[in-house]
């Protein structure tokens, strides 16, 4: 894959796009503003991934040397300039959306998230939990961004709630996975400050909180009965993740749990889509 495409982490960026598409499906709105919003989220998420790899190049040289910057396929200067161009494009599109729908919220969300992504990569990630909370907020904001475009704020906040806690849990598991490189670099993550056991308990608590509350989207009439079928499968992935991380905090198991959680999130996306028809 081309290094300038790879560094965007298109898989993640497309997942963020799916969150906005889900809001469009739930709101049955496919007008131009939400279509521009889809492009905006792809560009903004890509920009966040690029600036993150720009500031992470030393840690990634240990943990993930195959990435575009540590492997030498993209220079630091080009990565920085590339992320700024992507951020500016996303902000420009956010301003166009706000102009069309006559609401400043989409523009404000893009600008605010761009600042958070930059500061996450520059400093927030190196302090305990603030980095994890930042990524969880950014991920959850995809739903709120979509809701701000089509005027579906309440439902988007419900979905953002689940995305926030499930992403927060996964970020803690990812920090457990990166323990060795982070320790060598002196990063202040939850596993390094409070240990792997405490981290696993916190991650499991967040997973179980979101999982136990997820049927509420059916009980309060947001989604129909069909939502519960794929949700049950997603919950199996989530509960398995909680069980596995509590049982074993080895790095290899953290990798497995991180993948399980991501798969559960993708199945949860299907549940949201199926539940809104
Ligand atoms: C209980 C229940 C219904 C939970 C739902 C959880 C859900 C649907 C979460 C969706 C979250 C979402 C919108 C994800 C978009 C993809 C994304 C940008 C995630 C942020 O990832 C940052 C992460 O650090 C990247 O790591 P990696 O995936 O290993 O590259
Ligand atoms: C709604 C709008 C306008 C934007 C949302 C933008 C989104 C979805 C951001 C999601 C989270 C994200 C992509 C954050 C960027 C920073 C990032 C990649 C964090 C994870 O990186 P690390 O913690 O360094 O872990 P790895 O690099 O090892 O994956
Ligand atoms: Mg990184």
């Amino acid at each position: 894959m081309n290094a300038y495409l790879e560094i965007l982490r298109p898989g993640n960026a497309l997942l963020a796009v799916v969150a906005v598409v889900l809001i469009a499906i739930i709101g049955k709105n496919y007008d131009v503003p939400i279509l521009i919003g889809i492009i905006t989220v792809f560009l903004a998420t890509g920009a966040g991934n690029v600036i993150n790899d720009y500031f992470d190049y030393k840690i990634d040289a240990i943990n993930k040397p195959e990435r575009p910057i540590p492997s030498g396929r993209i220079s630091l200067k080009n990565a920085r300039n590339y992320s700024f161009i992507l951020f500016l494009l996303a902000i420009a599109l956010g301003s166009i959306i706000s102009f069309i729908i006559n609401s400043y919220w989409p523009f404000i969300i893009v600008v605010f998230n761009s600042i958070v992504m930059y500061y996450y990569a520059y400093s927030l990630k190196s302090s305990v939990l603030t980095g994890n909370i930042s990524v969880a907020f950014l991920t959850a904001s995809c739903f709120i961004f979509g809701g701000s475009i089509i005027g579906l704020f309440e439902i988007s906040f419900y979905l953002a709630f689940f995305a926030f806690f499930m992403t927060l849990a996964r970020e803690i598991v990812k920090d457990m996975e990166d323990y060795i490189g982070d320790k060598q670099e002196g990063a202040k993550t939850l596993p390094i400050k409070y240990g792997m056991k405490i981290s696993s308990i916190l991650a499991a608590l967040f997973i179980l909180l979101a999982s136990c509350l997820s049927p509420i989207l059916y009980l309060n009439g947001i989604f129909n009965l069909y939502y519960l079928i794929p949700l049950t499968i997603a919950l199996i992935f989530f509960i398995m993740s909680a069980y596995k991380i509590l049982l074993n905090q080895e790095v290899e198991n953290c990798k497995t749990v991180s993948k399980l959680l991501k798969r559960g999130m993708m199945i949860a996306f299907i549940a949201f889509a199926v539940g809104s028809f």
Side-chain angles (χ1 to χ4, degrees):
M1 184 191 292
N2 175 288
Y4 283 90
L5 179 62
E6 181 186 336
I7 197 170
L8 295 180
R9 294 193 217 179
N12 272 350
L14 286 173
L15 274 178
V17 161
V18 168
V20 181
V21 170
L22 279 171
I23 291 292
I25 292 169
I26 295 165
K28 296 178 176 51
N29 179 317
Y30 309 101
D31 297 337
V32 169
I34 196 76
L35 300 179
I36 300 174
I38 287 167
I39 301 166
T40 306
V41 166
F42 184 87
L43 293 172
T45 307
N49 285 321
V50 176
I51 199 70
N52 178 69
D53 283 5
Y54 170 77
F55 283 110
D56 272 359
Y57 77 96
K58 284 182 186 167
I59 282 191
D60 286 346
I62 300 163
N63 286 333
K64 293 163 185 142
E66 73 288 350
R67 283 187 171 167
I69 297 174
S71 65
R73 288 177 289 147
I74 297 181
S75 71
L76 272 177
K77 182 170 172 251
N78 286 349
R80 186 199 57 202
N81 296 340
Y82 184 39
S83 72
F84 286 160
I85 290 165
L86 291 169
F87 275 127
L88 288 174
L89 283 173
I91 290 168
L93 289 179
S95 66
I96 291 169
I97 295 168
S98 282
F99 178 77
I100 294 173
I101 66 169
N102 193 27
S103 160
Y104 45 68
W105 281 114
F107 175 70
I108 285 181
I109 292 170
V110 179
V111 171
F112 183 75
N113 282 11
S114 299
I115 294 166
V116 172
M117 280 188 274
Y118 180 88
Y119 277 100
Y120 165 82
Y122 174 63
S123 61
L124 291 176
K125 73 177 297 180
S126 58
S127 44
V128 177
L129 263 184
T130 48
N132 303 134
I133 291 169
S134 303
V135 174
F137 162 81
L138 288 162
T139 304
S141 73
C142 293
F143 292 108
I144 297 169
F145 177 67
S148 74
I149 295 173
I150 64 169
L152 207 67
F153 265 112
E154 189 194 348
I155 292 181
S156 65
F157 271 99
Y158 271 108
L159 304 190
F161 170 88
F162 293 108
F164 178 85
F165 283 103
M166 205 53 80
T167 304
L168 183 55
R170 184 167 183 264
E171 289 302 302
I172 293 170
V173 171
K174 279 168 62 38
D175 281 345
M176 293 169 72
E177 183 187 333
D178 289 344
Y179 185 89
I180 298 164
D182 288 348
K183 191 139 178 89
Q184 282 178 359
E185 278 299 314
K188 296 186 196 70
T189 64
L190 194 75
I192 288 169
K193 181 151 186 182
Y194 294 105
M196 299 286 256
K197 191 65 186 167
I198 295 278
S199 303
S200 70
I201 293 167
L202 205 55
L205 280 175
F206 290 137
I207 293 168
L208 294 173
L209 170 72
S211 300
C212 294
L213 290 176
S214 57
I216 209 166
L217 294 173
Y218 164 68
L219 297 172
N220 66 9
I222 288 181
F223 292 138
N224 61 40
L225 190 63
Y226 296 111
Y227 160 70
L228 297 178
I229 302 166
L231 177 72
T232 304
I233 301 166
L235 292 180
I236 291 168
F237 278 77
F238 293 143
I239 291 162
M240 262 175 64
S241 299
Y243 176 73
K244 287 173 75 73
I245 202 68
L246 283 171
L247 219 60
N248 174 356
Q249 293 84 47
E250 295 295 320
V251 169
E252 274 317 302
N253 185 55
C254 294
K255 278 197 177 86
T256 305
V257 171
S258 174
K259 288 192 180 99
L260 267 179
L261 284 170
K262 197 162 187 177
R263 289 188 190 123
M265 287 176 179
M266 292 181 204
I267 299 168
F269 277 143
I270 297 169
F272 292 165
V274 163
S276 59
F277 287 130

